[in-house]
Amino acid sequence: MADISTTLAGVKLPNLLFNASGVCCQTEADLKLMVESESGALITKSATVEQRDGNPAPRYTPLPNGIGSINSMGLPNEGYEYYLEYAKKYDYNSEKPLFISLSGLSLDDNVKMCKAFVDAKLPCVLEINYSCPNVPGKPQMGYDMEAMEKSLSVLAPLIKKPFGIKLPPYFDIAHFDQAAAVFNKFDNLAFVTCINSVGNGLAIDFVTEQALIKPKDGFGGLGGLMVLNTALANVNAFHRRLPGKQIVGVGGVVSGKEAFLHVLAGASAVQIGTMLKEEGPGVFARIAKELSDIMVAKGYKTLEDFRGKVKTL
């Protein structure tokens, strides 16, 4: 067996795979499934200050031929205090690190939530979500460089410990450069997670001529295999631009092959979203074995042997 353990934000993961925030992580029952799975870590649903029901259903659907999914969930969550209480009673000796996702609807919200977790002095790792594309009337902060820098300048010194941020996909080299220039200003910003879903796609049923999801007139975030190449580009772009920081790759992982490509592009850990939703928590054991088999076949013993070593023409 190859060694697929990793370290993220100074915390050891027995393997590099865990859930993408938003999948199998809203309730304690969901999180129990993650703890019992063969994931290397778990992350909670992005929390707001107050509990949210999210957008009306149907708000998620897989797309034909296994190409991916579309969703417009609208940040359904139990409110940050629910996840804070969960974090307080979590068994940190389980060898499975706990990451907490926070997605305040304002900077004041994020300050309030971060302060609560900091004051609790817990060994969980915070991730601030700057990339929720499905809350009506709320643009993604990840596309506003000035707002992100202002937010980080307040939150980074408050959090003190290593933390991460969840990013939307970027599509322009100039945006990679601008975003990296912001992120490199904050030493305890330890990792960036990319990508969140590709925002505001539209899926239409050919027979009924109807949008497949209800919120936002059918517009929603795209995930799954069809976003793999966008995800790999973002992982590699930030791997090149953020020396000393780590990348969590997410997007398009349906087998060990895609997980391998994420690491090759520069990922230190890999999250699974659509495939976890469709296959269930058993997906981690399958993909971990597939990745290990690929590494053995290629002669790689550890992830470090090939991380970030994609060849260019």
Side-chain angles (χ1 to χ4, degrees):
M1 289 283 288
D3 179 2
I4 59 170
S5 67
T6 191
T7 301
L8 185 63
V11 178
K12 177 87 175 192
L13 281 65
N15 74 69
L16 77 164
L17 303 172
F18 61 116
N19 62 308
S21 180
V23 186
C24 200
C25 61
Q26 182 172 340
T27 65
E28 284 201 34
D30 294 333
L31 295 166
K32 185 171 187 286
L33 291 175
M34 286 301 307
V35 169
E36 293 170 350
S37 77
E38 292 191 34
S39 71
L42 67 158
I43 188 167
T44 57
K45 174 69 182 174
S46 290
T48 50
V49 170
E50 304 294 338
Q51 182 271 345
R52 287 175 59 92
D53 292 331
N55 293 338
R59 57 192 186 182
Y60 167 91
T61 187
L63 298 176
N65 305 316
I67 64 169
S69 63
I70 185 168
N71 86 86
S72 182
M73 301 301 291
L75 276 179
N77 74 93
E78 306 304 310
Y80 83 100
E81 290 176 320
Y82 180 94
Y83 304 105
L84 178 58
E85 290 308 306
Y86 177 82
K88 286 179 178 177
K89 62 189 180 187
Y90 184 74
D91 178 10
Y92 294 95
N93 295 318
S94 69
E95 294 188 10
K96 188 175 287 192
L98 174 65
F99 291 79
I100 300 288
S101 179
L102 302 176
S103 189
L105 301 179
S106 68
L107 178 55
D108 286 346
D109 284 358
N110 276 332
V111 168
K112 179 175 184 175
M113 294 189 291
C114 287
K115 190 171 189 310
F117 277 92
V118 169
D119 289 348
K121 296 182 170 61
L122 300 170
C124 54
V125 179
L126 299 182
E127 178 187 271
I128 312 301
N129 185 352
Y130 285 146
S131 61
C132 185
N134 299 317
V135 177
K138 290 286 183 181
Q140 297 187 61
M141 186 183 287
Y143 292 134
D144 186 334
M145 304 299 166
E146 289 184 12
M148 266 199 305
E149 182 166 357
K150 178 185 176 185
S151 176
L152 287 168
S153 68
V154 173
L155 298 180
L158 172 62
I159 296 170
K160 297 185 181 70
K161 296 195 310 180
F163 73 103
I165 55 177
K166 178 76 170 282
L167 298 175
Y170 296 102
F171 304 98
D172 195 300
I173 297 298
H175 295 155
F176 291 130
D177 293 340
Q178 292 165 10
V182 170
F183 305 151
N184 280 322
K185 293 180 180 180
F186 302 96
D187 289 343
N188 66 317
L189 173 55
F191 66 93
V192 299
T193 300
C194 47
I195 58 172
N196 206 331
S197 55
V198 176
N200 296 310
L202 177 62
I204 303 170
D205 185 292
F206 175 75
V207 175
T208 64
E209 303 178 12
Q210 194 170 42
L212 292 184
I213 57 173
K214 182 173 183 177
K216 294 171 61 179
D217 295 322
F219 282 64
L222 304 176
L225 190 57
M226 64 180 158
V227 307
L228 173 67
N229 301 102
T230 298
L232 293 176
N234 278 257
V235 168
N236 190 244
F238 285 118
H239 173 70
R240 293 170 183 270
R241 287 167 175 79
L242 301 178
K245 300 188 189 301
Q246 295 177 287
I247 318 298
V248 177
V250 54
V253 178
V254 300
S255 72
K257 176 183 174 183
E258 295 80 29
F260 177 86
L261 293 175
H262 268 278
V263 178
L264 191 66
S268 290
V270 173
Q271 294 178 348
I272 303 172
T274 297
M275 206 66 205
L276 170 59
K277 175 79 171 171
E278 294 304 307
E279 186 174 326
V283 72
F284 295 109
R286 174 177 67 80
I287 292 180
K289 183 181 185 305
E290 291 170 353
L291 173 59
S292 179
D293 289 347
I294 288 169
M295 289 170 61
V296 169
K298 285 179 170 282
Y300 295 128
K301 293 183 172 61
T302 71
L303 300 174
E304 284 300 323
D305 291 343
F306 64 100
R307 179 178 291 119
K309 294 181 180 177
V310 58
K311 302 167 187 170
T312 56
L313 297 178

